[in-house]
Amino acid sequence: MTTRELPYTDPSQLADTMRSEGYALLRPQDVARLAGCSLDELQSLVPSWDRLELDNYLKDGGRYRRRRHSCFIHESDDGGHALVQTPHRAHWQPVEYNALHGGMHRLFEPIEPGTVANPAWGRLLRSLGEVCSRVRGRQTWFVEAHQFRIDTADGIGRPTPEGAHRDGVDFVAVILIGRTGIKGGETRVFEAEGPAGKRFTMLEPWTLLLLDDAAVIHESTPIQPLDAHGHRDTLVLTWRAGSFQGADVPA
């Protein structure tokens, strides 16, 4: 079904909703409250999206995606919530989860140090890691962060060129950073083992979709320009227990 009224989750029911529905959608103000900072503090991260680097790995030949990527380890226990950036490493997914780009070690430019050092960055990642632990139990979380810009310089941009998919992790967060001069970009979330699904378009910056990767599949539809060139910016975060994907795969 297509949902005009976005199916927002009451923050007090966030963990329960994740367990029962496999996904939750949060309003921007609730994301800021969860992170323990203001929307203005979150907005201070946004200028870095203007400095992303071209994704040269797109197998469809497109030049519509720019990105940066970095990895972190989140140790969460009763004594604290340490979030440590790892040495820079390639992003890897198996073909079972990404038929288009799976099996490739893709080494992107890292997220800028100033972005990672911004207090809002750490608060956001730690707070979402805590939600994952409330749903799945306390873990050492292996976290990957992807900054994306999808543009329409060539007429169309594809946020998920691999189509509807899972990511091969435990949890995925898709956060809208902004959208300018575009149409499209509808978010679609479907049960992995059933017929139910939701379709909606995130419009407000810092709207956040959190997904249980085993329970649902997801995609975003292509974007097109309204006038001149437009773009859609997102932050995609993933949490995986045990190790990073590809940690045991030779480069």
Side-chain angles (χ1 to χ4, degrees):
M1 63 177 292
T2 298
T3 305
R4 291 186 180 275
E5 184 69 27
L6 271 65
Y8 288 121
T9 300
D10 183 331
S12 68
Q13 302 299 313
L14 181 53
D16 289 340
T17 300
M18 289 295 298
R19 294 187 193 99
S20 62
E21 302 294 329
Y23 77 96
L25 187 70
L26 290 183
R27 295 176 175 84
Q29 57 268 35
D30 292 329
V31 174
R33 191 173 298 113
L34 180 69
C37 57
S38 67
L39 278 173
D40 284 344
E41 287 173 310
L42 290 176
Q43 279 293 112
S44 71
L45 297 166
V46 172
S48 63
W49 267 261
D50 290 331
R51 298 185 295 272
L52 305 187
E53 298 290 339
L54 189 66
D55 183 341
N56 290 307
Y57 293 94
L58 288 170
K59 284 190 173 181
D60 63 5
R63 295 177 60 82
Y64 52 80
R65 183 158 75 182
R66 294 180 177 274
R67 68 192 294 177
R68 287 181 181 268
H69 166 254
S70 289
C71 295
F72 304 82
I73 294 177
H74 183 193
E75 296 277 5
S76 176
D77 57 37
D78 292 336
H81 316 293
L83 181 73
V84 178
Q85 186 170 5
T86 70
H88 194 48
R89 64 191 308 277
H91 176 53
W92 188 91
Q93 292 175 291
V95 293
E96 290 82 2
Y97 290 104
N98 190 329
L100 187 60
H101 298 115
M104 303 169 60
H105 283 89
R106 293 179 285 165
L107 187 64
F108 302 105
E109 289 297 313
I111 294 172
E112 293 177 336
T115 302
V116 175
N118 187 317
W121 178 267
R123 290 175 186 172
L124 178 66
L125 269 63
R126 284 191 295 269
S127 66
L128 291 173
E130 281 299 293
V131 174
C132 296
S133 290
R134 293 210 308 270
V135 176
R136 193 61 47 83
R138 293 202 178 275
Q139 311 280 342
T140 296
W141 292 114
F142 293 79
V143 185
E144 296 195 51
H146 307 259
Q147 292 179 291
F148 286 107
R149 169 165 290 180
I150 308 298
D151 69 42
T152 58
D154 294 329
I156 191 168
R158 295 177 175 85
T160 52
E162 65 271 37
H165 65 284
R166 291 163 54 205
D167 285 285
V169 296
D170 288 281
F171 297 99
V172 179
V174 181
I175 305 171
L176 180 70
I177 301 301
R179 43 184 293 150
T180 302
I182 62 167
K183 59 183 178 180
E186 180 184 71
T187 297
R188 298 177 177 182
V189 181
F190 302 104
E191 289 179 341
E193 303 294 340
K198 293 281 189 180
R199 301 178 178 184
F200 50 86
T201 302
M202 296 190 291
L203 299 173
E204 288 187 85
W206 297 101
T207 301
L208 182 151
L209 174 65
L210 186 61
L211 305 160
D212 181 334
D213 193 55
V216 296
I217 59 177
H218 64 281
E219 67 177 333
S220 297
T221 62
I223 61 171
Q224 295 175 283
L226 284 175
D227 298 305
H229 300 163
H231 63 262
R232 178 178 184 263
D233 292 347
T234 56
L235 174 62
V236 175
L237 304 166
T238 65
W239 291 262
R240 189 173 190 264
S243 68
F244 291 110
Q245 284 195 103
D248 57 351
V249 176

